[in-house]
Amino acid sequence: MSQTDIQQKIASFTSIEQALDYFEIGYDSKFIAEYRTELIKRFNGYLILEKPDDWFSGRRALKNAYCKIQRGRLDKHTRSACRGCTSCQRR
């Protein structure tokens, strides 16, 4: 898949759930309902910073956005582990 193909595929998504399913990232529907706008903005921001050139780079952008929001919800004063983030590599 070329760079333009993956960008067209990402542009064709009508919901963030479609993107999560396409990139095979598990998600919590309650989390998506609560943080949908923030997740979409962060994902689009990552896509602007670095244009995806294949499926893996598109997946990395979405995974980073999802995980960043999950980690942002953790208590800053304790050393709690990332929980509930089905895509987190930091476990």
Side-chain angles (χ1 to χ4, degrees), residues 66-85:
Y66 190 87
C67 193
K68 176 78 173 177
I69 295 169
Q70 282 283 0
R71 286 191 323 268
R73 298 174 53 211
L74 297 175
D75 185 13
K76 307 277 188 259
H77 303 292
T78 62
R79 295 184 58 141
S80 58
C82 187
R83 291 191 180 89
C85 181

Side-chain angles (χ1 to χ4, degrees), residues 32-70:
I32 298 298
E34 188 173 344
Y35 294 98
R36 177 182 307 277
T37 305
E38 187 177 348
L39 180 59
I40 292 169
K41 286 180 181 180
R42 188 164 298 277
F43 177 49
N44 287 332
Y46 285 141
L47 294 177
I48 290 170
L49 289 174
E50 186 177 333
K51 300 286 185 208
D53 53 355
D54 61 359
W55 183 87
F56 295 102
S57 59
R59 183 177 195 270
R60 190 177 318 110
L62 182 55
K63 194 173 178 182
N64 287 342
Y66 190 87
C67 193
K68 176 78 173 177
I69 295 169
Q70 282 283 0

